[in-house]
Amino acid sequence: GQSLEQPSEVTAVEGAIVQINCTYQTSGFYGLSWYQQHDGGAPTFLSYNALDGLEETGRFSSFLSRSDSYGYLLLQELQMKDSASYFCAVRDSNYQLIWGAGTKLIIKP
Amino acid sequence: DTGVSQDPRHKITKRGQNVTFRCDPISEHNRLYWYRQTLGQGPEFLTYFQNEAQLEKSRLLSDRFSAERPKGSFSTLEIQRTEQGDSAMYLCASSFGDSDYNEKLFFGSGTQLSVL
């Protein structure tokens, strides 16, 4: 079967750095995406990795290791507005996105 | 650009009734997706259109579910004979599908369905 594993909840302090891990097992792999979703809101695209390595976009970075079927999202200089759920999603051999269950990020002042 | 809009935002219905949801994608986007999301889970793929053609439908999708995208613009998702297990957030997303890989989806705010 196909599965993506990510922690259900992560807690961090405002101003700190947090890493959200994602491991995947899918039929085919055409890239790892990350989406952010605030409570009651729509998922919004954060990043995409097709090749191994680190992609940086402002305070957010995303990493991929295809040999380990592993990636992570790194959030720096955490702000209270970053409190949300973060989803990793893999594009499989049918070109469809398979989603993880999401990681709820709780930020404390 | 007003983003992806969905209507209604909330729908409460009785078991056995039919419901229909509407999605208006971003105007220049040729791809449209329907997803279902329950609390604490990621979005679950339901179906996908490229222009007016429905290219894929989840094997998990009951035949009570049907979707259309006439003229390749807005889309409707109908659920017939609703069941309590259909209660979920129904999300629509669109994209400008010039790549099968790095495809950035734009989501609407969803329709929250409650079946009593």
Side-chain angles (χ1 to χ4, degrees), chain B residues 32-109:
Chain B
L32 186 147
Y33 298 80
W34 284 99
Y35 286 89
R36 176 169 61 189
Q37 186 177 27
T38 54
L39 201 61
Q41 297 297 316
E44 174 192 15
F45 171 76
L46 295 179
T47 191
Y48 150 59
F49 291 85
Q50 178 144 322
N51 300 310
E52 67 276 8
Q54 188 174 17
L55 296 188
E56 191 159 344
K57 189 174 175 181
S58 170
R59 286 169 292 178
L60 301 175
L61 203 61
S62 158
D63 57 8
R64 296 184 296 106
F65 288 69
S66 62
E68 294 182 341
R69 193 184 181 196
K71 303 179 183 177
S73 55
F74 73 92
S75 175
T76 58
L77 177 69
E78 181 183 16
I79 309 174
Q80 296 182 327
R81 305 182 302 281
T82 52
E83 302 172 356
Q84 288 185 324
D86 297 331
S87 296
M89 175 73 81
Y90 289 83
L91 294 166
C92 175
S94 69
S95 73
F96 182 67
D98 59 343
S99 168
D100 281 330
Y101 306 138
N102 185 9
E103 183 182 6
K104 178 178 176 180
L105 299 185
F106 294 80
F107 282 85
S109 296

Side-chain angles (χ1 to χ4, degrees), chain A residues 64-96:
Chain A
L64 174 65
S65 169
R66 289 174 296 169
S67 60
D68 295 322
S69 297
Y70 163 76
Y72 66 71
L73 180 69
L74 190 74
L75 297 82
Q76 303 182 73
E77 302 171 18
L78 285 172
Q79 302 174 10
M80 297 304 293
K81 67 178 182 179
D82 298 329
S83 295
S85 290
Y86 292 84
F87 295 89
C88 58
V90 166
R91 191 166 298 282
D92 70 0
S93 56
N94 293 319
Y95 304 114
Q96 293 306 326

Side-chain angles (χ1 to χ4, degrees), chain A residues 18-78:
Chain A
V18 72
Q19 178 174 312
I20 299 174
N21 298 321
C22 174
T23 57
Y24 58 87
Q25 182 176 357
T26 57
S27 58
F29 177 83
Y30 292 105
L32 177 69
S33 300
W34 289 92
Y35 284 76
Q36 177 192 61
Q37 186 177 30
H38 287 97
D39 283 347
T44 56
F45 175 86
L46 291 177
S47 69
Y48 171 80
N49 294 68
L51 302 176
D52 292 351
L54 192 67
E55 295 280 343
E56 298 181 67
T57 308
R59 296 187 297 113
F60 293 4
S61 303
S62 57
F63 172 83
L64 174 65
S65 169
R66 289 174 296 169
S67 60
D68 295 322
S69 297
Y70 163 76
Y72 66 71
L73 180 69
L74 190 74
L75 297 82
Q76 303 182 73
E77 302 171 18
L78 285 172

